[in-house]
Amino acid sequence: VQLQASGGGLVQAGDSLRLSCSASERSFPDYNMGWFRQAPGKEREFVATIDWRGYRIAYADSVKGRFAISRDNAKNTVYLEMSGLKPDDTATYYCAASRPGRITTIQSDYTSWGQGTLLTVSS
């Protein structure tokens, strides 16, 4: 499945922003979806994941209570609502798709990746 992430930009600390990830295929509802991020000079890390039905969700500890993942299967889109943004959230954000099963935080379990959207949070 081809993925296109969007919605990044330059915001101030404390602001909110929503990222979107659109899929090109009707099979989008068959996939669990995840968001990952890579800060400059750091390895890519897990942010959030949601199962194909939207029932099971998991977050990285660093974003719990501030970020919310959701999906609209009718629109082939997964979202990441971010609030209380911090400079440490500055990163390129990637969406990714994995086959149904248990939700996973492991990058190698994801078979399709979007191109990334850059979020910069100024202090």
Side-chain angles (χ1 to χ4, degrees):
V1 60
Q2 291 186 328
L3 303 172
Q4 178 82 26
S6 62
L10 174 63
V11 300
Q12 293 187 334
D15 282 354
S16 299
L17 195 69
R18 186 178 77 167
L19 304 182
S20 300
C21 174
S22 298
S24 62
E25 299 179 10
R26 292 185 176 183
S27 59
F28 172 79
D30 294 339
Y31 293 87
N32 294 343
M33 298 297 297
W35 285 97
F36 293 79
R37 67 186 182 185
Q38 186 168 20
K42 296 186 177 181
E43 294 187 352
R44 190 163 56 187
E45 63 177 7
F46 166 76
V47 175
T49 184
I50 187 169
D51 79 335
W52 64 280
R53 297 171 300 175
Y55 291 175
R56 292 172 293 172
I57 290 173
Y59 296 100
D61 288 344
S62 60
V63 306
K64 277 182 182 177
R66 299 188 299 121
F67 289 14
I69 188 171
S70 63
R71 66 189 296 161
D72 186 339
N73 285 344
K75 295 182 178 180
N76 286 358
T77 302
V78 62
Y79 304 99
L80 186 68
E81 295 274 3
M82 304 179 292
S83 61
L85 285 165
K86 306 174 182 179
D88 285 349
D89 295 319
T90 294
T92 298
Y93 284 73
Y94 298 89
C95 58
S98 69
R99 281 295 184 181
R102 288 186 176 184
I103 53 174
T104 175
T105 66
I106 301 172
Q107 295 185 45
S108 59
D109 289 338
Y110 290 81
T111 55
S112 299
W113 291 81
Q115 86 291 358
T117 184
L118 177 62
L119 169 67
T120 303
V121 183
S122 64
S123 57

